[in-house]
Amino acid sequence: MERRRVPAQAGQGCGRPRHSSKGRSRAGRDRSSAPARAAAALPCGRPRAGRARDCASRQARPEPPSGAGLPGELGRRCWMALRCERLPQEPALPEDHSHGALLAKSKESLVRREAGGDPPAPFLDGQRYYEQGLYKEALKQFEKIKDTDFQAMYQLGVMYYDGLGTKKDPARGVEYMNKILNSDSPEASHLKFAAAYNLGRAYYEGCGVKHSTEEAERLWLTAADNGNPTASIKAQSTLGMLYSMPILKDLKKAFFWHSEACDNGNLESKGALGIMYLYGQGIRRNSKAALECLRKATELGNIYAQGHLVEYYYTRKFYSKAAALAKR
């Protein structure tokens, strides 16, 4: 069953708002001492009600950099630039299964194969090709084990949905993600949050399935898992965008989800919080907290936060600061 939390009252600062002790605890996170946060309204859009988005026209449009926008853009129809989740790491394994480790292991396997040793696992070969952008070669390897390896199935879902190394086939990508989400296998458990996010993207875009903002919201809520740091942080940030849209405008929910994503390390949401504080969107205006969030986001490379920070300095006639920051 889906679990939801009511957005907590915010206080000062750019961090997490205080939550009741009755809330669900999280391992390794001290909720009692966490400072307050907020969320911002992002320039994000919505498909027209009752119409599925055309996949071809969506892909042909140049996509703007994702990030936080001006509150005045809330009423303008824009759209969210969504991407599939990267292959999640399998938790609690005795060895490192990060992308870098997989690539290194694959190279070692190739060396052994060239020396006459055992052939490498198709997934490791496929992942090596995938990381290098050799998608056709990766597709061949993943296809060999798609019925027995859920990680290969996940990568194939991403590749068919976005047309990486093959002709776009969103319906097939959706099929693979549904298999992962509905599987009872323990080997698929660490992929389910990411699969739910990707399915939400499909419903939002109307690609491979009939467009449904409601189904996209449901799936993203599943993927976000009430702010669980091991769930899909991208889904948490996307929900912050979704609830900033005119069709579902609920800035308190946007505040909550951007706060969750920011606390879990999402850069977009960190900038969004600063803008929400700066303009008093969904939370009381707090210039000090806004500057703290915007500066941190800017230091980490969020260009939208940087732009708003330049504007903040300029409108307050701190021209030297505005010029120095704008040059970056």
Side-chain angles (χ1 to χ4, degrees):
M1 178 178 283
E2 245 174 48
R3 296 169 291 175
R4 301 194 188 198
R5 297 203 326 246
V6 177
Q9 181 65 36
Q12 303 294 318
C14 183
R16 174 174 297 281
R18 297 181 185 275
H19 294 268
S20 166
S21 60
K22 295 180 181 180
R24 181 170 66 90
S25 63
R26 298 182 198 166
R29 301 178 68 178
D30 184 0
R31 306 178 67 86
S32 63
S33 62
R37 305 172 295 168
L42 301 189
C44 47
R46 55 189 171 93
R48 294 180 182 177
R51 289 183 60 186
R53 276 193 187 193
D54 179 72
C55 294
S57 64
R58 172 179 58 78
Q59 292 296 334
R61 297 175 63 183
E63 297 193 357
S66 54
L70 292 169
E73 293 174 337
L74 274 175
R76 188 180 71 182
R77 181 185 297 151
C78 322
W79 57 296
M80 286 193 286
L82 300 174
R83 295 288 186 275
C84 283
E85 281 272 35
R86 285 178 62 88
L87 179 72
Q89 296 182 28
E90 191 170 359
L93 291 177
E95 55 183 329
D96 185 1
H97 276 225
S98 65
H99 295 284
L102 287 171
L103 188 58
K105 185 183 292 185
S106 178
K107 289 179 179 178
E108 291 176 5
S109 298
L110 287 175
V111 171
R112 287 199 301 271
R113 180 170 61 182
E114 290 173 357
D118 296 331
F123 175 75
L124 295 178
D125 248 359
Q127 188 64 19
R128 176 178 64 87
Y129 290 131
Y130 186 92
E131 293 286 348
Q132 294 176 348
L134 303 174
Y135 297 122
K136 289 185 178 180
E137 289 79 0
L139 192 77
K140 292 176 184 177
Q141 297 300 323
F142 292 145
E143 286 283 6
K144 294 177 182 178
I145 53 172
K146 63 183 180 182
D147 296 324
T148 58
D149 191 305
F150 284 100
Q151 293 189 119
M153 186 187 297
Y154 180 91
Q155 294 293 61
L156 285 172
V158 171
M159 295 174 78
Y160 278 110
Y161 190 88
D162 282 332
L164 302 176
T166 182
K167 184 179 179 180
K168 286 183 186 234
D169 190 348
R172 192 169 180 181
V174 167
E175 178 187 350
Y176 284 135
M177 293 300 166
N178 269 317
K179 284 182 179 180
I180 292 169
L181 190 60
N182 297 323
S183 174
D184 294 327
S185 172
E187 295 178 359
S189 59
H190 71 292
L191 301 170
K192 289 190 174 185
F193 291 133
Y197 168 82
N198 292 334
L199 284 170
R201 176 195 173 192
Y203 276 100
Y204 178 81
E205 295 176 331
C207 288
V209 288
K210 184 178 179 180
H211 161 69
S212 172
T213 301
E214 293 77 14
E215 187 65 9
E217 178 189 13
R218 184 189 72 80
L219 285 160
W220 283 335
L221 285 168
T222 299
D225 194 33
N226 211 24
N228 181 353
T230 64
S232 172
I233 298 172
K234 185 176 287 189
Q236 295 162 13
S237 183
T238 300
L239 284 167
M241 299 181 194
L242 187 70
Y243 291 126
S244 298
M245 289 165 37
I247 194 172
L248 291 176
K249 188 174 178 181
D250 188 331
L251 294 182
K252 288 186 177 180
K253 287 184 178 180
F255 157 73
F256 172 76
W257 284 110
H258 277 311
S259 299
E260 295 296 307
C262 175
D263 204 52
N264 291 330
N266 184 271
L267 180 57
E268 265 186 352
S269 288
K270 187 179 290 291
L273 295 182
I275 296 167
M276 178 60 81
Y277 270 131
L278 186 62
Y279 296 103
Q281 295 283 334
I283 191 67
R284 181 179 297 180
R285 180 176 291 185
N286 185 328
S287 296
K288 182 179 180 180
L291 286 175
E292 182 182 350
C293 289
L294 290 174
R295 285 168 180 162
K296 287 182 179 178
T298 295
E299 290 170 1
L300 294 172
N302 187 317
I303 60 173
Y304 280 90
Q306 182 176 340
H308 282 286
L309 196 55
V310 170
E311 182 187 24
Y312 176 86
Y313 288 140
Y314 184 84
T315 56
R316 285 154 183 80
K317 299 183 179 180
F318 299 130
Y319 299 125
S320 297
K321 282 187 176 182
L325 187 59
K327 286 180 180 179
R328 291 168 52 187

